[in-house]
């Protein structure tokens, strides 16, 4: 930008820097923030979830001296999950730190670097949380593509085969390109039993708008998701309502997908990294939906001075696993492009 003023001003008035950075890169990351804020603490070598996979079939009517079955019923298995870890590196040259650590500094360069890099890492993980966990040679954490599947794309969950144990299959419906209220109703019915019903629906911005077009004007009630019951931890996302549950647009959501999730049966179990510090800060970054990462899972190695360079290096870690304990209570429509 061309300098507006001449030397009279340039030599007498200093430049003013605002004490924050405005983010023009990162977009929404609804699912990740929602799940991680409700993190539970990991324990043990693996996480095992006992699940009932069949009924006791020995019940019968009887009369007189009819004999009863004395066979024992073995109707439980366990889902087993192992933790995954993710990291992002922070690095700063020492000469820059020397200049930055003066009384004239506007921002704390070291803290800002950790804050910005943590948000970048959360953005990466937001994409992974919609994937199937096979990324980077299956080192990635699990995502909704694995948790919400009927066995067609992801044949096992927690070490159990979905074809053998059919109650571990979610409902997945190819939508043949279009979304309709009838298709949404059918999916809802398939994953609902009594009081067990989806608590939130994640979709893309495009499908969010398509769904809105299906509704009569008086039905197009949008709500701030932070005010919707059960979503008080939101950060101002806008939701449409279906059967009293929020539909939220997430820019990370899989293209063409409309995903119903019962949050009673999904959890992030967090495992802090060995000998690392929890991350807690007030961010100097503005202009995005990323508040300072909170909850379990994020850890900081502290700054490390390399033996052969005048610099500092650190690592931000994120550990644990995204799991479901009841896949049949989730479902999705796929391949949506229009109404």
């Amino acid at each position: 930008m061309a300098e507006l003023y001449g030397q009279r001003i340039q030599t007498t008035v200093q430049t003013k820097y605002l004490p924050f950075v405005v983010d023009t890169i990162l977009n929404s990351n609804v699912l990740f923030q929602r799940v991680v804020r409700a993190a539970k603490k990991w324990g043990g070598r693996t996480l095992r979830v006992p699940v009932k996979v069949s009924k006791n079939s020995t019940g019968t009517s009887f009369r007189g001296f009819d004999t009863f079955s004395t066979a024992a019923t073995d109707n439980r298995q366990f889902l087993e999950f192992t933790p995954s870890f993710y990291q992002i590196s922070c690095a700063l040259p020492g000469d820059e730190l020397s200049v930055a650590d003066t009384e004239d500094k506007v921002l704390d360069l070291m803290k800002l670097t950790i804050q910005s890099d943590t948000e970048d890492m959360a953005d990466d993980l937001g994409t992974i949380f919609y994937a199937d966990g096979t990324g980077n040679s299956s080192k990635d954490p699990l995502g909704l593509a694995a948790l919400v599947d009927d066995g067609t794309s992801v044949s096992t969950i927690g070490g159990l085969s979905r074809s053998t144990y059919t109650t571990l299959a979610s409902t997945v419906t190819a939508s043949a390109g279009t979304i309709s209220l009838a298709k949404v109703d059918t999916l809802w019915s398939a994953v609902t039993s009594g009081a067990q019903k989806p608590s939130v629906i994640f979709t893309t911005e495009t499908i969010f708008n398509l769904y809105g077009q299906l509704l009569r004007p008086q039905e197009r009630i949008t709500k701030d998701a932070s005010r919707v019951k059960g979503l008080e931890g939101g950060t101002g996302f806008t939701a449409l309502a279906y059967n009293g549950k929020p539909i939220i647009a997430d820019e990370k959501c899989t293209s063409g997908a409309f995903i119903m999730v019962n949050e009673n049966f999904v959890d992030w179990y967090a495992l802090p990294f060995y000998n690392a510090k929890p991350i807690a800060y007030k961010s100097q970054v503005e202009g995005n939906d990323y508040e300072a990462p909170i909850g379990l899972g994020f850890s900081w190695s502290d700054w490390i001075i390399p033996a052969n360079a005048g610099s500092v290096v650190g690592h931000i870690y994120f550990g644990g696993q995204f799991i479901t304990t009841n896949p049949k209570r989730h479902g999705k429509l796929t391949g949506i492009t229009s109404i």
Side-chain angles (χ1 to χ4, degrees):
M1 187 174 72
E3 179 59 52
L4 178 63
Y5 300 106
Q7 293 300 316
R8 287 189 302 275
I9 296 298
Q10 292 190 50
T11 57
T12 56
V13 181
Q14 68 179 0
T15 299
K16 170 70 174 179
Y17 277 86
L18 299 178
F20 55 83
V21 172
V22 178
D23 180 7
T24 65
I25 296 294
L26 303 181
N27 296 316
S28 69
N29 198 0
V30 182
L31 170 67
F32 178 78
Q33 293 191 75
R34 174 67 180 165
V35 169
V36 171
R37 284 196 175 94
K40 297 179 179 179
K41 188 175 181 179
W42 184 280
R45 177 172 55 89
T46 62
L47 191 66
R48 287 186 171 182
V49 183
V51 292
K52 184 175 178 179
V53 293
S54 63
K55 287 178 59 177
N56 182 332
S57 59
T58 62
T60 181
S61 56
F62 71 95
R63 180 173 296 156
F65 291 95
D66 290 354
T67 57
F68 307 147
S69 170
T70 58
T73 300
D74 190 0
N75 58 6
R76 288 185 297 276
Q77 294 288 331
F78 60 82
L79 299 170
E80 185 171 31
F81 300 94
T82 57
S84 296
F85 289 92
Y86 195 90
Q87 76 84 39
I88 196 167
S89 299
C90 305
L92 289 169
D95 55 346
E96 290 186 10
L97 288 172
S98 298
V99 174
D101 192 26
T102 67
E103 62 182 15
D104 295 320
K105 69 180 180 182
V106 176
L107 295 166
D108 187 315
L109 179 58
M110 298 182 85
K111 289 182 179 179
L112 176 61
T113 299
I114 297 172
Q115 293 158 11
S116 178
D117 290 346
T118 303
E119 292 181 1
D120 290 347
M121 183 169 120
D123 190 69
D124 295 342
L125 289 162
T127 300
I128 290 173
F129 268 40
Y130 277 102
D132 61 7
T134 60
N136 193 23
S137 301
S138 296
K139 298 173 189 175
D140 283 354
L142 297 174
L144 285 190
L147 307 188
V148 186
D149 192 75
D150 60 0
T152 300
S153 298
V154 181
S155 60
T156 63
I157 184 68
L160 296 181
S161 167
R162 281 173 155 137
S163 60
T164 301
Y165 302 103
T166 57
T167 58
L168 300 181
S170 307
T171 300
V172 179
T173 304
S175 199
T178 62
I179 185 171
S180 67
L181 293 178
K183 291 177 181 178
V184 174
D185 289 343
T186 299
L187 179 64
W188 177 272
S189 297
V191 298
T192 297
S193 293
Q196 304 302 321
K197 59 189 66 176
S199 58
V200 65
I201 301 168
F202 298 104
T203 192
T204 66
E205 290 180 312
T206 298
I207 298 173
F208 181 88
N209 292 332
L210 290 174
Y211 177 83
Q213 294 174 38
L214 296 174
L215 307 180
R216 294 189 297 271
Q218 63 268 31
E219 294 175 323
R220 292 198 62 177
I221 302 172
T222 59
K223 299 180 179 179
D224 183 329
S226 63
R227 298 177 182 177
V228 176
K229 185 177 180 181
L231 284 181
E232 293 84 353
T235 54
F237 308 117
T238 298
L240 287 167
Y242 173 80
N243 281 352
K245 306 301 179 183
I247 302 173
I248 303 179
D250 188 350
E251 288 166 286
K252 296 293 186 184
C253 186
T254 306
S255 177
F258 189 85
I259 309 170
M260 295 184 178
V261 177
N262 186 326
E263 293 174 295
N264 291 321
F265 304 115
V266 292
D267 285 294
W268 170 255
Y269 275 85
L271 179 60
F273 198 73
Y274 169 74
N275 207 30
K277 302 176 180 179
I279 289 184
Y281 58 73
K282 180 175 175 59
S283 182
Q284 301 172 89
V285 181
E286 299 184 0
N288 61 34
D289 286 335
Y290 290 71
E291 296 178 351
I294 58 176
L296 302 173
F298 285 98
S299 305
W300 167 239
S301 68
D302 213 341
W303 292 107
I304 302 165
I305 302 176
N308 60 349
S311 62
V312 293
V313 179
H315 303 278
I316 302 164
Y317 302 107
F318 186 73
Q321 194 55 270
F322 189 21
I323 75 165
T324 181
T325 56
N326 198 351
K328 72 178 286 185
R329 297 305 179 195
H330 319 305
K332 61 185 175 183
L333 301 174
T334 63
I336 300 169
T337 58
S338 63
I339 56 176

